[in-house]
Each structure stands twice: as structure tokens, then as C-alpha cells.
Amino acid sequence: MMKQINFRTRQSQTSPILQATLRNVAFIVSFCLFCSLLNSEIREIKQDGTGDFTTIQAGIDASADTDTVLVYPGIYYENLDFNGKNIMLASLELTTGNASYIASTIIDGQREESCIRVHNGETDAHVRGFTVQNGYGTHFWSEDGGGFLVHDYSTVYITNCIIKDNVATLGAGIYARHGYLHLSGLRIIHNSAGYGGAIYVADDSTIDFDADNRCNIYNNNAGKGADLRIKNTGQVDVVVDTFSIYNPSRYFAEFDEDSSYTFDIQHNWMELVPHDLYVHPSGDDENSGLTPNEPLKNISWAVRKIEADSLDPRTIHVAAGVYSHEINEQIFPIGCKEYVSIIGEDIDNTILINDYSPGSIRGYYLNGNIEISNFTLQHSPERFTSSVMLFYEIELLRLSNINIKDNSYISGILKNGYSFIEYDTIIISDNIVDGLNSGLFFSKVAGYVKNCNITNNQNIESDPNSIEGALQLLAYDDIVLENCIFSGNHSTSSDGRIIRTTNHNGTGPPTTPTITFKNCLISDNSIGSRYVFQSLNHDGLTEFNNCTFVNNTASSNFYPSTIYSKSDINMTNTIMHNNTDYEIFMADDTQYGYVYELNVNHCNIKNGEAGIYNMNNVNTINWLDGNIDEDPLFLQSGNHPYQLTEFSACIDAGTPDTTGLYLPPWDLLYHHRVWDGDDNGVATIDMGCYEFGADSVGIHNEVIPIKNAYLTNFPNPFNPITTIQFSTNNEQGKQVELAIYNVKGQKVKTLINSYMTINSGEIIW
């Protein structure tokens, strides 16, 4: 259990008259309860065989409305279902008033499904006096309600219970949808969910907190709503003795869609810490976490503990090592907070193994910049069928140096909601998925995706729905994918595709983004449908600059195609070779008012213009200068088999003017992209994503610091040129090097490397 930090108390005063009144009420309740027991059957559950039954479920099944199933102490490894019975399920705490029976009478869900389900229209179900633990959640919408699942307009009164150590996607402690909850005297702690760690209430459900026998809700974990989450409920009045903090943010108490809270909280369980925090695999959650020498152990606890805002963003520094529940009691998912970044030490050695919950990292409805970097993520149990990383409506999300590999029945990174993204060096490889998108899923995003490899993933779709094997992208504004590899991905889906791009999802006004693929390799993918790449960017533009499509296959007898387009397309310096029957299929959307335009410029397309199918000849096809239909003469060996060889017709066959293409300075092998020239000094470029014969830009592990110099540049940001001004206090005649590095520490270009006879100057890059 986590440390109780700076626990503050605030005593409530009760008048003598009120105390006497409460005693009278208690007597009346006890008397009514006694009368109720006299008029109903009591089914005694004893594990030693001396009662009516040895299992609780047997007692429930044998009971009728108004009966009491009375459970004697013990650990009952069961997943219970009320099956429509309006009964009292209770421990001996009911009949004795002895609270010790709560801890000694345990319903353990064995991490199989919900501990207790009330979901068949029950109108007067009661649960009293138990510890309810180790539920996993029943597959309803997802894995929902680890401790309790309440549904179908059922009503349950839960009294004097401890609900702890449950896991679910929605509502680890309690999940209610179309349900009515009456909560009294509960302690809901140490549960973990994707949404609503303690309680998730949704869709016309109501929740009533007892103001006299108050509940305690604290120390729970979730991707959003660590303690509470409500949706479509109207106002919920939270009346508790102890809550995690006094003034809950949306991190602790999430709400949306016509929902709101009021809070009556008597005590807080923890205080937030306005500092960067440090985490180490062998740390201790009772440490301060303020320095590397006093690290915390649990990443989720660091997120819960940290305090940040727009004026003081914070970082959680995660040391190299393995983080899992089995090894060092990690709790997943790791939630995200506004203005908090989570940075690992390095991608190869900072490893998250989720052996606990349906997801590893979750972030929802966050303002500011959120950065997550330098992690390898793995899931161990096959049943956790969810995205490894899931984000929704984050103002600016930066992901870099993320490796998701060797997982079963798990998808990669899902990003929903209007936001700007900056992804760099994302590797999603060798994963097996059933019915989920296996790679990157973007919905309503803009920004850039660079240096990402989505390779060798398999989708063994058991139900042939529309599933993307590597990438699904829904853009609301311009987005660039640069130096990315989509290779060796396979899907059996008969109605899917490896890559799908679109400009809107049909639920709002259409947008007109430009979706640009630059220097990307799409190779050796296979799909059980009729196209590999589907472009549905109806009102926008899709561009392919210096891309290579090779050896992709689609299984269909109806015009199998590499690119199926309902979009305007500009294709420049691109190779399409040895793929499907048609490299490009331009669809007929005239019934919806669309006539699309395809511009092909300096490309190598198999079968030339005949490799393009213009459905009903309704679209405009512009076959421009420099196009060829030749064998690219690929290398066909090594880790980069689609490099060009010496006699390839694609060498120096690209457009002479790369203005407006904004190509990266290097190809997929970090060789100079535009590097040589003809006799007149005009630079030339090859077709495809590799540049033949070019020098390496150099790979460095660290950025070289600026020493004894002052630099500035304008304009900044810039495209395509900037002027760099410099000054140095080096003695005249000393060697000066001015080099450009990218954010990965890789040298892009050396601008100056010579002996200088001046101490200042400027250079245009």
C-alpha cells in the first residue's frame, strides 16, 4: 500500500440531540432488519460443510427474493452473479455488527472477471460486510467492473465493504451503466483501471452516497479519473469522509458529456508535490522522489503524486531497468497529467512489461505539452486485448524513442481527438493482433511522424471487419510522415487495408488537409482485401514524395490495387514496382460530387500509365515529365534490400527541382538526400527512398555542446533557408567547426570546419 502522506483531519461536530436521534435511527433500522430476517429464508455458506452450501454462488442460485445469503468467514474464490435475485448477500457483520468480519470474509475474483455482477434488472439487491478483491472485469464494453458490475437498470445497495486490488478497463472498483448505486461505509482503495480507478458511472446511472455512514475513496489509479469517472449522469454529489485530495482535478475525478460534480470531503489522503520526481526499479514509494538518490519505485505513483501547471511543467525521470507488477509491483496503466512529461533513461534499457492491466500508458483531455520518451513496452498476458498506448485530446503530444515489440493480442499506439502530434522514432514490430489495429492509429490529428518503423506485425482477424494492419490516419489539418518504414505487415481481414488515410470521419464538417508521405518505404505487406493503401482524403490532398512501394499483395479478384484513392494525389520521385495488378486505382465518386486529380511526376510506375486504373474514366490523370516503366534493379539483400544498384534507371532520374518537396536531408540509411550535381552544378536526386552513392550524414550518440561561442539564426523556425550568425572568443587562427545536428544527436551537415581569421560572421543554410 502506498504511503499516507501529510494526512490532515478535520473533525466534524455532532450535537447531543443529533447523536441521540442517530441512535434511535440505528435501533429502528436494526429492528426492521431483524423482522426482515424472520420473514425470509437464510442460506448459510460455510466452507467446512456445516452450512447449507460451501460456495456463495450455490446459495444465490437456491435463494428467492427477500432471502439472505449469510456467508461465514473465509476466502471465497468466486465470480458471483445475482441472476436477477433481490436478496441480501452479507457476512456475519450484518447480524453481529462486528466490523472484523469485513476483513475476514473475502470474495476473490481470481483476476478472471467481475467479483460480483448485478445486471439482470434486480430492484433491491444488497451486498454487505465483505472484502471484494482481485476482480478483473467482465467483457461488456471492454473488461468492466473489477469489483462490481451493475447494469440493465439494476439497483444495488453496497454497505460496509472494502473494495480493493481490482483491475478493469472501466471502473475497477465499481462500474455501473444504466444502474443505481447506493453506497454506504465503503473503503475503495488500490484499484486500477483505464477509466475510473474506484468508480465509473455512465449512461443514466445514479449514485447515492450515504452522508452519515460515509465512504472513503483514495489511492486508486487510472489513465483518467484515478478515483472517479462519470459520463451522461447529470450532477453527482460526492459525499465522503476521505478522498485522495481536497480539490480533485480531472485527473482524480473525470467527467464529460452532461456530467458534473459537487464535493463534500472531510479529509484528504495525500498532498501533491510541485517538483520533478525520480523513479528507479529498486526505489521505494515512501521515499521523497525528489532526487535520483531518493527515488520512488512506481511510475504510476509518481504521476499521481506530482503537481504541475502551465507555469511550472514537470518531468518524471525514469531510470533504466525493468518495470513490471511481478518484479517490482508496478501498477498499470500509467496515467498522464497536464504539463507532466515521463522520460526514460534510454529506449533499449528502460522497459515496461505490463503484466497487470489492459493498457500500459493512458492520457485523456490534457492541456499543454506532454512528452513520453525512451521506453520499450511489452505486454505479457495474452488476454489483455487493448492498445499499449492510448491518448485522447491532448493539446500537444510528443512521443519519441518508443519500442513496442513482441506482444500478443495487443495493438500499438492509438491517438484520438483534435490535437497536434510530434512522433519521432517509434518502432512497432513483431506483434500479433486479433481484431485490432496493430500499428499506429490517429484520429483527428495534425503534425508530423518521423523515423518510425511499423514492421512484421500480424493481424489474424477472426472477424473480418475493417482493420488496418499498420497505419490508420484521420487528419483534421496538415500532417507529414517522413522517413518511415511500413514493411512485412500481414492481415487476414477481408475488409481492411495495411494503411488507411482520410480527412474526416463523417461526423463533422469536412476538412482539407494535405497528408504527405516523404521518403517512406511501403514493402512486403499483404492484406486479405483488394487494396494495400486506401486514401479517403476526399476534400484534401495526398502527396507521395520519394517513396518506394514494392512487393505488396492484396487478395481479391476485383481490381486488386496498391493504392485505392478517393483523393487528389501528387506523386513525385516515387517507385511502384512488383505489387498488385494496378498500382493506383482512382475511384468514381461523381455521385458524391467529387472528381479527383492524379499528378505523376518523375516516377517509376510498373506498366506505366496502364498501371493506373481510372474508374469509368471520370477522374483527371496527368502523366507528367520524367516518368518511366523500368525494373528498379534493387539490391535485394541485407537489411535494406530496396536500395538502388549501380545500373538502376532510377538514379538521378528524380525531378531536377526539389523546391516545395521539403525533403529531409537524408534518406532511410542517413545518406545525404540531395548531394551531387551535374556539370552545371544543379543537384539531382534519385527516385525512391534511397539515394545511391551518397555519403553518410554521420550518426552520433550525443549532441556536441556549443563551447566558447554565441549562435543565433533567423528566421526561426524556417523553411527552406535560414541565416546563422556566430561569434566566438577563440583566438584568431584556431580551428572552428559549425555543424547542424538533429534532435537525435545525429549530424546533418557541417557548415564550417576550418581555421578562422575572424571572430564572427554569418552563413546561410
Side-chain angles (χ1 to χ4, degrees):
M1 185 178 296
M2 302 302 182
K3 182 181 179 182
Q4 187 166 329
I5 300 174
N6 296 332
F7 187 88
R8 297 205 307 258
T9 60
R10 187 172 64 197
Q11 297 295 331
S12 59
Q13 300 298 321
T14 306
S15 70
I17 295 176
L18 180 57
Q19 291 176 1
T21 302
L22 292 176
R23 284 196 295 270
N24 291 333
V25 170
F27 171 77
I28 293 170
V29 171
S30 298
F31 179 76
C32 292
L33 174 61
F34 176 74
C35 293
S36 175
L37 292 176
L38 289 178
N39 293 320
S40 65
E41 292 285 339
I42 299 177
R43 317 284 181 174
E44 292 189 337
I45 313 300
K46 297 182 180 180
Q47 291 181 323
D48 63 5
T50 61
D52 297 307
F53 303 97
T54 58
T55 68
I56 301 173
Q57 188 64 56
I60 294 173
D61 293 342
S63 66
D65 286 354
T66 75
D67 284 354
T68 296
V69 177
L70 192 62
V71 182
Y72 282 69
I75 302 177
Y76 294 82
Y77 295 98
E78 299 188 56
N79 304 97
L80 305 177
D81 194 325
F82 265 56
N83 289 324
K85 306 290 181 69
N86 294 304
I87 61 174
M88 167 71 76
L89 173 63
S91 73
L92 297 185
E93 185 271 340
L94 171 71
T95 56
T96 67
N98 187 344
S100 67
Y101 286 112
I102 299 172
S104 63
T105 314
I106 300 169
I107 299 171
D108 191 302
Q110 313 160 80
R111 290 290 168 86
E112 292 295 332
E113 53 182 345
S114 304
C115 294
I116 300 174
R117 287 173 288 170
V118 185
H119 64 130
N120 290 289
E122 294 87 347
T123 59
D124 193 28
H126 293 256
V127 179
R128 177 165 180 159
F130 293 97
T131 293
V132 179
Q133 66 183 32
N134 289 333
Y136 176 69
T138 299
H139 189 75
F140 182 59
W141 289 102
S142 46
E143 282 71 32
D144 306 329
F148 287 83
L149 173 67
V150 183
H151 179 51
D152 197 21
Y153 301 98
S154 299
T155 299
V156 61
Y157 296 78
I158 309 172
T159 304
N160 295 348
C161 290
I162 299 171
I163 304 171
K164 68 183 183 74
D165 297 321
N166 299 286
V167 175
T169 302
L170 306 179
I174 301 171
Y175 174 77
R177 183 174 183 268
H178 302 310
Y180 309 106
L181 300 175
H182 300 266
L183 308 182
S184 178
L186 305 183
R187 186 154 65 102
I188 309 177
I189 60 169
H190 212 254
N191 304 282
S192 186
Y195 290 92
I199 301 172
Y200 186 126
V201 181
D203 299 340
D204 301 321
S205 294
T206 62
I207 180 170
D208 175 37
F209 289 93
D210 190 330
D212 297 319
N213 186 19
R214 293 195 175 210
C215 297
N216 298 279
I217 303 173
Y218 59 87
N219 194 20
N220 298 285
N221 179 73
K224 194 65 172 178
D227 291 312
L228 302 176
R229 202 234 175 162
I230 57 175
K231 176 182 177 182
N232 292 332
T233 61
Q235 180 174 297
V236 172
D237 300 317
V238 180
V239 182
V240 295
D241 179 280
T242 303
F243 201 76
S244 288
I245 62 174
Y246 268 129
N247 298 303
S249 65
R250 293 184 71 170
Y251 173 83
F252 290 97
E254 178 58 82
F255 60 93
D256 65 4
E257 299 183 32
D258 302 319
S259 301
S260 63
Y261 292 107
T262 67
F263 291 97
D264 181 352
I265 299 171
Q266 292 186 338
H267 308 103
N268 65 312
W269 181 74
M270 65 182 293
E271 295 283 355
L272 302 182
V273 178
H275 298 281
D276 283 8
L277 294 176
Y278 294 83
V279 180
H280 192 279
S282 60
D284 190 325
D285 286 331
E286 296 197 14
N287 288 341
S288 69
L290 298 178
T291 70
N293 295 325
E294 281 282 321
L296 304 171
K297 177 176 63 175
N298 202 300
I299 303 171
S300 290
W301 174 234
V303 175
R304 215 175 318 158
K305 184 176 179 178
I306 201 167
E307 182 178 31
D309 56 35
S310 60
L311 298 178
D312 294 296
R314 307 292 181 190
T315 299
I316 296 171
H317 305 273
V318 183
V322 177
Y323 296 82
S324 81
H325 185 69
E326 181 178 349
I327 294 174
N328 46 28
E329 300 178 324
Q330 295 297 309
I331 304 297
F332 294 96
I334 298 167
C336 295
K337 266 186 182 175
E338 291 184 341
Y339 305 104
V340 174
S341 295
I342 306 172
I343 310 297
E345 188 171 333
D346 68 82
I347 183 174
D348 295 322
N349 298 308
T350 314
I351 303 171
L352 309 182
I353 301 178
N354 184 359
D355 49 5
Y356 188 77
S357 80
S360 295
I361 299 178
R362 298 285 187 261
Y364 309 94
Y365 303 113
L366 301 174
N367 293 319
N369 300 346
I370 307 296
E371 181 178 355
I372 301 174
S373 299
N374 305 332
F375 290 102
T376 289
L377 296 97
Q378 296 179 340
H379 270 56
S380 59
E382 292 184 352
R383 68 181 181 181
F384 294 151
T385 54
S386 180
S387 299
V388 176
M389 306 179 77
L390 174 61
F391 305 98
Y392 191 88
E393 291 201 16
I394 298 176
E395 186 175 349
L396 172 57
L397 176 63
R398 290 191 176 105
L399 296 182
S400 63
N401 296 325
I402 301 294
N403 189 356
I404 299 173
K405 65 176 184 178
D406 298 325
N407 298 290
S408 297
Y409 304 98
I410 201 78
S411 65
I413 301 174
L414 189 151
K415 173 69 189 73
N416 261 323
Y418 292 99
S419 57
F420 197 87
I421 62 171
E422 296 178 358
Y423 285 14
D424 195 340
T425 314
I426 309 295
I427 302 168
I428 302 177
S429 64
D430 301 298
N431 302 289
I432 299 174
V433 180
D434 185 359
L436 295 168
N437 299 296
S438 57
L440 294 171
F441 182 102
F442 302 115
S443 179
K444 305 170 190 171
V445 298
Y448 70 77
V449 179
K450 296 183 178 180
N451 308 311
C452 296
N453 292 351
I454 315 299
T455 58
N456 300 322
N457 301 289
Q458 295 186 54
N459 191 317
I460 54 172
E461 177 61 32
S462 57
D463 181 18
N465 295 316
S466 297
I467 298 297
E468 281 61 58
L471 169 68
Q472 176 164 317
L473 169 60
L474 189 157
Y476 78 90
D477 206 341
D478 295 351
I479 187 166
V480 174
L481 295 95
E482 178 179 292
N483 276 16
C484 295
I485 298 175
F486 304 92
S487 182
N489 302 289
H490 305 283
S491 175
T492 60
S493 173
S494 60
D495 189 27
R497 66 287 295 165
I498 297 298
I499 297 175
R500 179 176 184 255
T501 61
T502 184
N503 64 324
H504 66 90
N505 62 0
T507 60
T511 55
T512 58
T514 297
I515 301 174
T516 303
F517 289 80
K518 296 191 294 186
N519 226 90
C520 292
L521 173 66
I522 299 96
S523 68
D524 299 291
N525 303 289
S526 66
I527 186 73
S529 65
R530 63 188 179 95
Y531 32 76
V532 176
F533 189 119
Q534 183 184 42
S535 175
L536 302 178
N537 191 10
H538 306 273
D539 299 277
L541 172 66
T542 303
E543 292 188 329
F544 300 95
N545 300 328
N546 281 91
C547 294
T548 298
F549 291 80
V550 58
N551 289 341
N552 300 287
T553 59
S555 300
S556 175
N557 295 323
F558 181 72
Y559 302 117
S561 52
T562 308
I563 297 176
Y564 175 88
S565 180
K566 294 188 174 188
S567 168
D568 290 344
I569 291 180
N570 288 344
M571 183 168 286
T572 306
N573 301 339
T574 290
I575 300 172
M576 303 189 74
H577 178 72
N578 198 31
N579 297 292
T580 55
D581 289 355
Y582 291 96
E583 297 294 351
I584 305 173
F585 185 108
M586 300 297 293
D588 181 355
D589 258 359
T590 53
Q591 61 178 320
Y592 304 112
Y594 291 105
V595 175
Y596 302 117
E597 182 175 311
L598 169 65
N599 297 301
V600 184
N601 181 24
H602 287 81
C603 293
N604 186 1
I605 307 292
K606 185 187 72 173
N607 297 326
E609 286 189 82
I612 300 170
Y613 186 86
N614 185 6
M615 189 175 182
N616 298 325
N617 292 316
V618 298
N619 302 295
T620 301
I621 311 297
N622 296 315
W623 188 259
L624 303 175
D625 295 338
N627 297 313
I628 60 176
D629 172 19
E630 302 285 347
D631 186 335
L633 298 179
F634 292 126
L635 180 62
Q636 301 285 10
S637 64
N639 293 328
H640 291 266
Y642 301 116
Q643 300 175 67
L644 304 177
T645 53
E646 182 179 3
F647 298 106
S648 172
C650 298
I651 295 174
D652 292 339
T655 175
D657 184 2
T658 60
T659 302
L661 299 181
Y662 303 119
L663 292 171
W666 54 82
D667 68 3
L668 288 182
L669 280 172
Y670 296 100
H671 293 165
H672 286 288
R673 183 74 263 191
V674 181
W675 67 285
D676 58 356
D678 59 18
D679 293 338
N680 297 318
V682 178
T684 58
I685 193 169
D686 299 343
M687 294 177 179
C689 55
Y690 295 98
E691 190 73 19
F692 178 79
D695 295 329
S696 173
V697 299
I699 305 297
H700 297 267
N701 293 325
E702 298 183 40
V703 176
I704 297 177
I706 299 172
K707 295 182 178 180
N708 302 320
Y710 174 77
L711 295 174
T712 185
N713 73 295
F714 63 94
N716 185 9
F718 67 95
N719 198 339
I721 66 172
T722 188
T723 300
I724 301 174
Q725 295 179 332
F726 64 91
S727 62
T728 176
N729 59 8
N730 285 337
E731 296 179 6
Q732 294 183 7
K734 296 292 186 180
Q735 186 170 4
V736 173
E737 181 180 7
L738 174 59
I740 304 298
Y741 290 79
N742 66 10
V743 294
K744 296 170 59 180
Q746 299 162 339
K747 184 183 286 186
V748 175
K749 189 175 183 64
T750 299
L751 300 177
I752 300 173
N753 190 6
S754 62
Y755 287 88
M756 301 290 292
T757 58
I758 58 174
N759 285 333
S760 63
E762 66 180 31
I763 190 169
I764 295 176
W765 181 45

Short mmCIF file of all heavy atoms in Angstrom, two decimals, residues 506-539:
data_model
loop_
_atom_site.label_atom_id
_atom_site.label_comp_id
_atom_site.label_asym_id
_atom_site.label_seq_id
_atom_site.Cartn_x
_atom_site.Cartn_y
_atom_site.Cartn_z
N GLY A 506 -16.76 11.60 -41.09
CA GLY A 506 -18.16 11.66 -41.48
C GLY A 506 -19.09 12.23 -40.44
O GLY A 506 -20.30 12.29 -40.66
N THR A 507 -18.59 12.67 -39.28
CA THR A 507 -19.46 13.18 -38.22
C THR A 507 -19.34 14.69 -38.05
O THR A 507 -19.92 15.25 -37.14
CB THR A 507 -19.12 12.51 -36.88
OG1 THR A 507 -17.76 12.78 -36.55
CG2 THR A 507 -19.33 11.01 -36.97
N GLY A 508 -18.58 15.34 -38.88
CA GLY A 508 -18.42 16.79 -38.77
C GLY A 508 -18.15 17.38 -40.13
O GLY A 508 -18.16 16.68 -41.15
N PRO A 509 -17.93 18.68 -40.19
CA PRO A 509 -17.64 19.31 -41.48
C PRO A 509 -16.35 18.76 -42.06
O PRO A 509 -15.39 18.49 -41.33
CB PRO A 509 -17.51 20.80 -41.12
CG PRO A 509 -17.20 20.82 -39.66
CD PRO A 509 -17.89 19.64 -39.08
N PRO A 510 -16.28 18.57 -43.37
CA PRO A 510 -15.06 18.03 -43.97
C PRO A 510 -13.89 18.99 -43.82
O PRO A 510 -14.06 20.21 -43.80
CB PRO A 510 -15.44 17.84 -45.44
CG PRO A 510 -16.58 18.79 -45.66
CD PRO A 510 -17.32 18.85 -44.36
N THR A 511 -12.72 18.44 -43.67
CA THR A 511 -11.51 19.24 -43.61
C THR A 511 -10.72 19.04 -44.89
O THR A 511 -11.00 18.14 -45.68
CB THR A 511 -10.66 18.83 -42.39
OG1 THR A 511 -10.40 17.41 -42.46
CG2 THR A 511 -11.40 19.12 -41.10
N THR A 512 -9.71 19.89 -45.11
CA THR A 512 -8.95 19.83 -46.36
C THR A 512 -7.46 19.72 -46.07
O THR A 512 -6.67 20.57 -46.49
CB THR A 512 -9.23 21.07 -47.22
OG1 THR A 512 -8.89 22.24 -46.46
CG2 THR A 512 -10.69 21.14 -47.61
N PRO A 513 -7.03 18.72 -45.36
CA PRO A 513 -5.61 18.61 -45.03
C PRO A 513 -4.80 18.12 -46.22
O PRO A 513 -5.32 17.49 -47.14
CB PRO A 513 -5.59 17.58 -43.91
CG PRO A 513 -6.74 16.68 -44.25
CD PRO A 513 -7.80 17.59 -44.81
N THR A 514 -3.50 18.41 -46.16
CA THR A 514 -2.54 17.76 -47.03
C THR A 514 -1.83 16.69 -46.21
O THR A 514 -1.21 16.99 -45.19
CB THR A 514 -1.52 18.76 -47.59
OG1 THR A 514 -2.20 19.73 -48.39
CG2 THR A 514 -0.47 18.05 -48.43
N ILE A 515 -1.95 15.45 -46.64
CA ILE A 515 -1.30 14.33 -45.98
C ILE A 515 -0.11 13.93 -46.85
O ILE A 515 -0.29 13.53 -48.00
CB ILE A 515 -2.26 13.14 -45.80
CG1 ILE A 515 -3.46 13.56 -44.96
CG2 ILE A 515 -1.54 11.95 -45.16
CD1 ILE A 515 -4.54 12.50 -44.85
N THR A 516 1.09 14.08 -46.32
CA THR A 516 2.30 13.92 -47.11
C THR A 516 3.15 12.78 -46.60
O THR A 516 3.48 12.72 -45.41
CB THR A 516 3.13 15.21 -47.09
OG1 THR A 516 2.34 16.30 -47.56
CG2 THR A 516 4.36 15.07 -47.98
N PHE A 517 3.50 11.86 -47.49
CA PHE A 517 4.46 10.80 -47.21
C PHE A 517 5.76 11.17 -47.93
O PHE A 517 5.79 11.29 -49.15
CB PHE A 517 3.95 9.45 -47.70
CG PHE A 517 2.80 8.90 -46.90
CD1 PHE A 517 1.51 9.36 -47.11
CD2 PHE A 517 3.02 7.93 -45.93
CE1 PHE A 517 0.45 8.87 -46.37
CE2 PHE A 517 1.96 7.43 -45.18
CZ PHE A 517 0.67 7.91 -45.40
N LYS A 518 6.84 11.35 -47.16
CA LYS A 518 8.13 11.73 -47.72
C LYS A 518 9.18 10.69 -47.35
O LYS A 518 9.36 10.37 -46.18
CB LYS A 518 8.57 13.10 -47.19
CG LYS A 518 7.68 14.25 -47.60
CD LYS A 518 8.30 15.60 -47.27
CE LYS A 518 8.43 15.82 -45.79
NZ LYS A 518 8.91 17.20 -45.49
N ASN A 519 9.84 10.18 -48.37
CA ASN A 519 10.96 9.27 -48.14
C ASN A 519 10.53 8.05 -47.32
O ASN A 519 11.20 7.61 -46.41
CB ASN A 519 12.10 9.97 -47.41
CG ASN A 519 13.45 9.68 -48.05
OD1 ASN A 519 13.88 10.39 -48.94
ND2 ASN A 519 14.10 8.62 -47.61
N CYS A 520 9.37 7.49 -47.65
CA CYS A 520 8.82 6.34 -46.91
C CYS A 520 8.90 5.08 -47.76
O CYS A 520 8.77 5.12 -48.98
CB CYS A 520 7.38 6.60 -46.51
SG CYS A 520 7.19 7.90 -45.28
N LEU A 521 9.09 3.94 -47.07
CA LEU A 521 9.12 2.63 -47.71
C LEU A 521 7.89 1.85 -47.30
O LEU A 521 7.64 1.67 -46.10
CB LEU A 521 10.38 1.87 -47.29
CG LEU A 521 10.49 0.41 -47.75
CD1 LEU A 521 10.59 0.32 -49.27
CD2 LEU A 521 11.70 -0.27 -47.09
N ILE A 522 7.11 1.40 -48.28
CA ILE A 522 5.94 0.54 -48.05
C ILE A 522 6.20 -0.74 -48.82
O ILE A 522 6.10 -0.76 -50.05
CB ILE A 522 4.64 1.22 -48.50
CG1 ILE A 522 4.41 2.52 -47.72
CG2 ILE A 522 3.46 0.28 -48.30
CD1 ILE A 522 4.88 3.77 -48.41
N SER A 523 6.57 -1.81 -48.11
CA SER A 523 7.05 -3.01 -48.81
C SER A 523 6.61 -4.29 -48.11
O SER A 523 6.44 -4.33 -46.89
CB SER A 523 8.58 -2.99 -48.90
OG SER A 523 9.16 -3.15 -47.62
N ASP A 524 6.42 -5.34 -48.91
CA ASP A 524 6.24 -6.71 -48.42
C ASP A 524 5.08 -6.84 -47.45
O ASP A 524 5.09 -7.68 -46.54
CB ASP A 524 7.53 -7.21 -47.77
CG ASP A 524 8.69 -7.25 -48.73
OD1 ASP A 524 8.67 -8.07 -49.65
OD2 ASP A 524 9.60 -6.40 -48.58
N ASN A 525 4.05 -6.03 -47.63
CA ASN A 525 2.83 -6.15 -46.84
C ASN A 525 1.80 -6.97 -47.60
O ASN A 525 1.80 -6.99 -48.83
CB ASN A 525 2.25 -4.76 -46.54
CG ASN A 525 3.23 -3.86 -45.83
OD1 ASN A 525 3.54 -4.05 -44.67
ND2 ASN A 525 3.73 -2.84 -46.54
N SER A 526 0.91 -7.64 -46.88
CA SER A 526 -0.16 -8.39 -47.53
C SER A 526 -1.46 -8.20 -46.77
O SER A 526 -1.47 -8.05 -45.55
CB SER A 526 0.19 -9.88 -47.61
OG SER A 526 0.24 -10.46 -46.31
N ILE A 527 -2.56 -8.21 -47.52
CA ILE A 527 -3.88 -7.95 -46.94
C ILE A 527 -4.88 -8.88 -47.59
O ILE A 527 -4.75 -9.23 -48.77
CB ILE A 527 -4.28 -6.46 -47.15
CG1 ILE A 527 -5.59 -6.12 -46.43
CG2 ILE A 527 -4.35 -6.10 -48.63
CD1 ILE A 527 -5.46 -6.02 -44.95
N GLY A 528 -5.89 -9.29 -46.82
CA GLY A 528 -6.91 -10.18 -47.35
C GLY A 528 -7.99 -9.48 -48.14
O GLY A 528 -8.96 -10.11 -48.56
N SER A 529 -7.85 -8.17 -48.36
CA SER A 529 -8.82 -7.42 -49.15
C SER A 529 -8.19 -7.00 -50.47
O SER A 529 -7.14 -7.53 -50.86
CB SER A 529 -9.32 -6.20 -48.37
OG SER A 529 -8.27 -5.29 -48.16
N ARG A 530 -8.77 -5.99 -51.14
CA ARG A 530 -8.33 -5.71 -52.51
C ARG A 530 -7.41 -4.51 -52.63
O ARG A 530 -7.06 -4.13 -53.73
CB ARG A 530 -9.53 -5.52 -53.43
CG ARG A 530 -10.45 -4.35 -53.10
CD ARG A 530 -11.70 -4.41 -53.99
NE ARG A 530 -12.64 -3.34 -53.73
CZ ARG A 530 -12.69 -2.21 -54.41
NH1 ARG A 530 -11.81 -1.99 -55.37
NH2 ARG A 530 -13.59 -1.30 -54.13
N TYR A 531 -7.02 -3.89 -51.53
CA TYR A 531 -6.06 -2.80 -51.66
C TYR A 531 -5.17 -2.75 -50.43
O TYR A 531 -5.56 -3.10 -49.32
CB TYR A 531 -6.73 -1.45 -51.88
CG TYR A 531 -8.07 -1.27 -51.23
CD1 TYR A 531 -8.18 -1.05 -49.87
CD2 TYR A 531 -9.24 -1.32 -51.99
CE1 TYR A 531 -9.42 -0.89 -49.27
CE2 TYR A 531 -10.47 -1.16 -51.40
CZ TYR A 531 -10.57 -0.95 -50.04
OH TYR A 531 -11.79 -0.80 -49.46
N VAL A 532 -3.94 -2.30 -50.65
CA VAL A 532 -2.94 -2.21 -49.59
C VAL A 532 -3.04 -0.86 -48.89
O VAL A 532 -3.02 -0.78 -47.65
CB VAL A 532 -1.52 -2.41 -50.17
CG1 VAL A 532 -0.47 -2.24 -49.08
CG2 VAL A 532 -1.41 -3.78 -50.81
N PHE A 533 -3.17 0.20 -49.67
CA PHE A 533 -3.18 1.57 -49.16
C PHE A 533 -4.47 2.23 -49.64
O PHE A 533 -4.72 2.32 -50.82
CB PHE A 533 -1.96 2.33 -49.70
CG PHE A 533 -1.73 3.69 -49.10
CD1 PHE A 533 -0.56 3.97 -48.42
CD2 PHE A 533 -2.66 4.70 -49.22
CE1 PHE A 533 -0.32 5.22 -47.86
CE2 PHE A 533 -2.45 5.96 -48.68
CZ PHE A 533 -1.28 6.23 -48.00
N GLN A 534 -5.28 2.70 -48.70
CA GLN A 534 -6.53 3.35 -49.06
C GLN A 534 -6.48 4.82 -48.66
O GLN A 534 -6.25 5.15 -47.50
CB GLN A 534 -7.72 2.69 -48.36
CG GLN A 534 -9.07 3.27 -48.76
CD GLN A 534 -10.21 2.66 -47.99
OE1 GLN A 534 -10.11 2.45 -46.79
NE2 GLN A 534 -11.32 2.35 -48.67
N SER A 535 -6.67 5.70 -49.63
CA SER A 535 -6.68 7.14 -49.37
C SER A 535 -8.11 7.66 -49.53
O SER A 535 -8.67 7.64 -50.62
CB SER A 535 -5.75 7.89 -50.33
OG SER A 535 -5.86 9.28 -50.13
N LEU A 536 -8.69 8.12 -48.41
CA LEU A 536 -10.05 8.67 -48.42
C LEU A 536 -10.03 10.15 -48.05
O LEU A 536 -10.95 10.65 -47.43
CB LEU A 536 -10.94 7.89 -47.43
CG LEU A 536 -11.04 6.39 -47.67
CD1 LEU A 536 -11.91 5.75 -46.60
CD2 LEU A 536 -11.61 6.09 -49.04
N ASN A 537 -8.98 10.83 -48.46
CA ASN A 537 -8.81 12.25 -48.15
C ASN A 537 -9.62 13.09 -49.14
O ASN A 537 -9.09 13.89 -49.90
CB ASN A 537 -7.32 12.60 -48.20
CG ASN A 537 -7.01 13.96 -47.65
OD1 ASN A 537 -7.85 14.60 -47.04
ND2 ASN A 537 -5.78 14.41 -47.86
N HIS A 538 -10.93 12.91 -49.13
CA HIS A 538 -11.82 13.40 -50.18
C HIS A 538 -11.60 14.86 -50.54
O HIS A 538 -11.45 15.21 -51.71
CB HIS A 538 -13.28 13.22 -49.76
CG HIS A 538 -13.64 11.83 -49.36
ND1 HIS A 538 -14.06 10.88 -50.27
CD2 HIS A 538 -13.63 11.22 -48.15
CE1 HIS A 538 -14.30 9.75 -49.63
NE2 HIS A 538 -14.06 9.93 -48.35
N ASP A 539 -11.61 15.73 -49.54
CA ASP A 539 -11.54 17.16 -49.79
C ASP A 539 -10.12 17.71 -49.70
O ASP A 539 -9.91 18.91 -49.89
CB ASP A 539 -12.43 17.91 -48.79
CG ASP A 539 -13.88 17.50 -48.91
OD1 ASP A 539 -14.56 18.04 -49.78
OD2 ASP A 539 -14.31 16.62 -48.14
#
